[in-house]
Amino acid sequence: MRKDFDVSDCYVQEGKLALPYSYFAGRVGSTFITTLRDQRRILGVRCNTCGKVFVPPRQTCERCMEDIRNNWVTLSNTGEVVNYTVVNYDDRHLPRKAPFILALIRPDGADTPMVHILEGIEGDKVQPGLKVKAVFSEKTTHTILDIDHFEPVA
Amino acid sequence: MGHKKKNRNVGIVGIGETKFSSHREDVNQPEMVHEAVRQAIDDAGIGLEDIDCVIHGNMELFEMIHQPDLWHTLGTGAYGKDAFRLTTGGTTGATLCCAADNLVASGMYDTVLAIGFEKLQEGHTTGGITNMADPLWARKLQSGALTDQAAVKLIFEFGEERAKRAAMTYRIIMDKHACLNPNSHRAFGLDWDQMDDLMKNSPPLIGNLRLIHMCSQSDGACAIIFASEEKAKQISSKPVWVRDHITVHREETLDLCNNYYPNQTTHRFAARELYKRNGIDDPLSYFDVFEMYDPSAWWGVDWLREFFLLEGDAHLKLVENREIMITGKMPVNPSGGVIAANPIGATAMVRVAEAAKQIRGDAGPHQIPRPVNHALASGFGGTMWTVLTILEKELNW
Ligand SMILES: [Zn+2]
């Protein structure tokens, strides 16, 4: 491979994108977050056409296009690991110092998994099907991180 | 310019528009998009299973989101279908219509659902737009979306008093139209006796462009269903036919493409080419309505001359004599136009949607009170990016 490009006197202009944003959660997303925060319950929604229970909740079933916004179902605070990954590098956007585990966790009563942090177990011990429970944060952030993490059921 | 006749005709069979507003906290992006999709599907009287392909677009970076078409599937109905994203800046909505027309005309799909959306209150418009400029030559020397070059031109050519009055007349006409349209984001109820006050006291933005002249930042979505002639006639009792469209692009200030100063705007070039190949000699008498992407009142006035291939002060007279009002000789933006609502990724599609509704005769309170058979819709983006579309009531051209 060629490595002898002449870069003498070649100028690099540094820049930075500033793109502040807010995201309107909508009524469905807001109900999930406030219930999680105030009642420590995880909510899903059921599609009466295909019978699937979705978490996180959504206004429409993307397969049946049914309006399912009012079909709330309280899910269990326990569930199982569907898949996972061990994060071994540090970066500013990551929620924990490495190493830590991000897992797809399907709460009991739901047909879909949600992403969250898995603690209390070494990465090489995790297997799909592992039973886990939600551990709630002491302080609210009005986000999905009102669940602090999941950990194995003792 | 290379141009081939269509392989088959394409009709608009379903239209959906959300109400446009400054804030939609009650719905997230896929939920808002779904409102327009649901309306379009219901309007067509079909089911999502009848849609072959979904195309989706909005402005890059405006909500600071990446590949929204994927997670918007919750609202678009694209699950299990061919689907992709298109983004061409301000013209996105118009380009989506062109693409849908091409996809159906080619025979690739019988029905295509095109969706444009924007939630401008979630992001930072100027932050997104300023990154369009070439980092080395233009990024440190720009004013974002705001410019008053049209004002400079009009004042130089017609004098300050006449130019300023024309721009404010245009603005008041657009507001009068906006007040008729239940989907408008901004409808103030302006009247003629406010003219002098607004010309003097509306907050200045840049040059002669004041706040009152400028378009809004809106949240909203638009969806249109396009179908082949055979399907369109099955689905709808009043399909609106897409006769032709043209896209012309040139950047004049933000990068180094074609930055010799032009002797002809892309609007005029697009209009001339489009009318020539469709045998339209006198566009002003041919068209019954023009839905123009008019980001400000100054541009609106200036561009009338370009789109209708007028000379001298003919465009000013159209405005001064109020011929562009909904009851006038050449109704422009009976919807209130872009100054009334600008959810950017949807805006250029709304022009096509509104033009089509006028042809169908069911636009609502802002329906033009006489038959509409031929409609023109424009999209605008970049510093000078034009998409021009002709819609027809009959298949007899
Ligand atoms: Zn379903």
Side-chain angles (χ1 to χ4, degrees):
Chain A
M1 198 201 296
R2 191 181 159 195
K3 287 178 180 164
D4 59 341
F5 299 105
D6 177 9
V7 296
S8 57
D9 299 324
C10 286
Y11 181 59
V12 176
Q13 184 165 317
E14 301 294 342
K16 189 175 187 177
L17 301 183
L19 288 173
Y21 74 97
S22 39
Y23 184 70
F24 298 173
R27 205 167 295 289
V28 173
S30 301
T31 301
F32 178 91
I33 295 292
T34 53
T35 307
L36 188 68
R37 179 192 68 193
D38 300 339
Q39 303 173 37
R40 299 198 160 182
R41 286 194 293 135
I42 302 170
L43 290 180
V45 282
R46 182 192 307 280
C47 173
N48 290 326
T49 302
C50 66
K52 294 235 180 307
V53 175
F54 296 102
V55 69
R58 69 277 322 261
Q59 187 175 290
T60 44
C61 171
E62 83 258 35
R63 309 206 180 183
C64 311
M65 279 293 134
E66 293 297 318
D67 189 330
I68 57 176
R69 75 182 83 181
N70 294 317
N71 307 348
W72 292 103
V73 181
T74 298
L75 304 172
S76 173
N77 290 349
T78 62
E80 65 169 32
V81 171
V82 173
N83 207 335
Y84 70 99
T85 195
V86 180
V87 181
N88 285 318
Y89 75 104
D90 284 308
D91 205 342
R92 279 191 304 181
H93 69 275
L94 294 168
R96 294 281 194 275
K97 290 285 282 181
F100 73 100
I101 304 167
L102 282 174
L104 280 168
I105 292 158
R106 187 181 60 74
D108 294 330
D111 289 291
T112 55
M114 52 196 260
V115 181
H116 224 293
I117 299 158
L118 178 59
E119 290 186 353
I121 186 166
E122 295 298 319
D124 56 6
K125 301 279 191 307
V126 185
Q127 293 209 324
L130 178 74
K131 296 288 173 206
V132 295
K133 64 176 187 209
V135 176
F136 293 89
S137 313
E138 282 172 19
K139 265 180 77 176
T140 181
T141 52
H142 317 281
T143 69
I144 191 70
L145 290 175
D146 277 13
I147 299 172
D148 187 74
H149 62 275
F150 282 80
E151 63 182 29
V153 175
Chain B
M1 285 177 79
H3 175 68
K4 286 204 167 62
K5 214 172 148 49
K6 270 185 177 175
N7 180 49
R8 58 176 178 173
N9 289 315
V10 179
I12 289 172
V13 297
I15 299 170
E17 263 179 52
T18 64
K19 169 148 177 65
F20 305 116
S21 78
S22 63
H23 281 261
R24 284 301 306 272
E25 283 99 335
D26 58 320
V27 282
N28 64 23
Q29 291 170 21
E31 290 166 356
M32 189 186 71
V33 162
H34 187 69
E35 287 180 8
V37 169
R38 177 63 65 190
Q39 257 192 54
I41 295 279
D42 291 347
D43 180 52
I46 58 174
L48 260 177
E49 65 277 8
D50 300 311
I51 302 291
D52 299 329
C53 172
V54 177
I55 54 179
H56 170 291
N58 76 312
M59 295 293 282
E60 282 185 295
L61 294 178
F62 273 27
E63 288 84 3
M64 202 171 166
I65 47 177
H66 183 58
Q67 290 194 281
D69 53 319
L70 299 185
W71 50 281
H72 286 191
T73 297
L74 288 176
T76 62
Y79 177 80
K81 300 182 188 301
D82 285 11
F84 53 89
R85 169 172 157 79
L86 269 175
T87 175
T88 61
T91 47
T92 294
T95 305
L96 284 161
C97 293
C98 297
D101 180 49
N102 290 352
L103 287 167
V104 175
S106 71
M108 196 79 156
Y109 305 103
D110 286 338
T111 50
V112 173
L113 167 64
I115 307 163
F117 96 96
E118 212 73 67
K119 283 191 99 179
L120 286 176
Q121 297 305 325
E122 294 189 3
H124 192 255
T125 313
T126 303
I129 256 184
T130 49
N131 290 299
M132 181 171 102
D134 183 299
L136 192 55
W137 305 117
R139 201 168 284 178
K140 294 185 188 308
L141 298 164
Q142 57 165 331
S143 56
L146 300 177
T147 168
D148 85 326
Q149 290 190 67
V152 170
K153 226 174 87 185
L154 281 165
I155 289 170
F156 179 73
E157 196 172 344
F158 301 105
E160 190 171 342
E161 178 65 15
R162 190 178 180 199
K164 283 185 170 175
R165 269 192 191 280
M168 199 52 68
T169 303
Y170 183 94
R171 179 65 189 92
I172 292 174
I173 291 171
M174 288 307 129
D175 188 67
K176 286 186 176 296
H177 291 171
C179 286
L180 300 173
N181 181 355
N183 283 341
S184 291
H185 166 187
R186 293 193 311 172
F188 297 120
L190 301 180
D191 223 331
W192 302 112
D193 58 4
Q194 288 169 271
M195 199 105 134
D196 292 292
D197 177 48
L198 289 169
M199 281 163 60
K200 229 182 299 157
N201 297 323
S202 171
L205 292 176
I206 187 163
N208 290 288
L209 181 77
R210 293 177 181 271
L211 191 59
I212 192 68
H213 294 123
M214 194 60 189
C215 59
S216 60
Q217 295 199 54
S218 313
D219 287 3
C222 183
I224 302 180
I225 300 168
F226 297 78
S228 63
E229 180 179 346
E230 192 188 337
K231 285 264 173 173
K233 285 174 171 168
Q234 287 166 15
I235 293 170
S236 174
S237 58
K238 44 183 179 181
V240 174
W241 305 106
V242 184
R243 177 168 174 178
D244 200 359
H245 50 78
I246 190 169
T247 298
V248 180
H249 184 205
R250 172 169 59 211
E251 291 297 331
E252 291 159 9
T253 51
L254 294 182
D255 62 31
L256 301 186
C257 301
N258 323 107
N259 71 338
Y260 51 87
Y261 201 76
N263 55 13
Q264 189 179 174
T265 65
T266 55
H267 291 341
R268 184 170 283 261
F269 185 85
R272 184 167 283 155
E273 289 288 322
L274 189 67
Y275 304 154
K276 193 167 70 189
R277 74 190 186 201
N278 284 281
I280 296 169
D281 299 326
D282 181 4
L284 204 54
S285 64
Y286 183 78
F287 291 107
D288 301 309
V289 62
F290 177 30
E291 272 289 334
M292 179 182 11
Y293 194 126
D294 56 343
S296 83
W298 284 107
W299 267 330
V301 173
D302 188 39
W303 292 353
L304 281 172
R305 184 162 69 173
E306 307 304 287
F307 284 122
F308 288 118
L309 306 179
L310 303 173
E311 301 295 336
D313 66 351
H315 57 313
L316 288 195
K317 285 183 182 145
L318 274 180
V319 175
E320 288 161 349
N321 299 333
R322 301 181 194 172
E323 297 289 7
I324 60 167
M325 281 192 84
I326 188 167
T327 47
K329 190 165 75 186
M330 182 62 241
V332 174
N333 293 350
S335 65
V338 182
I339 307 175
N342 189 21
I344 304 183
T347 301
M349 188 181 289
V350 174
R351 309 282 65 80
V352 175
E354 286 292 332
K357 284 196 221 170
Q358 290 292 343
I359 286 179
R360 298 202 310 197
D362 58 7
H366 58 291
Q367 176 68 43
I368 295 167
R370 60 162 197 257
V372 177
N373 296 312
H374 318 285
L376 185 66
S378 78
F380 163 72
T383 52
M384 258 301 165
W385 193 329
T386 308
V387 179
L388 205 51
T389 303
I390 302 176
L391 301 179
E392 297 282 354
K393 183 171 194 167
E394 308 291 345
L395 271 176
N396 59 359
W397 62 83

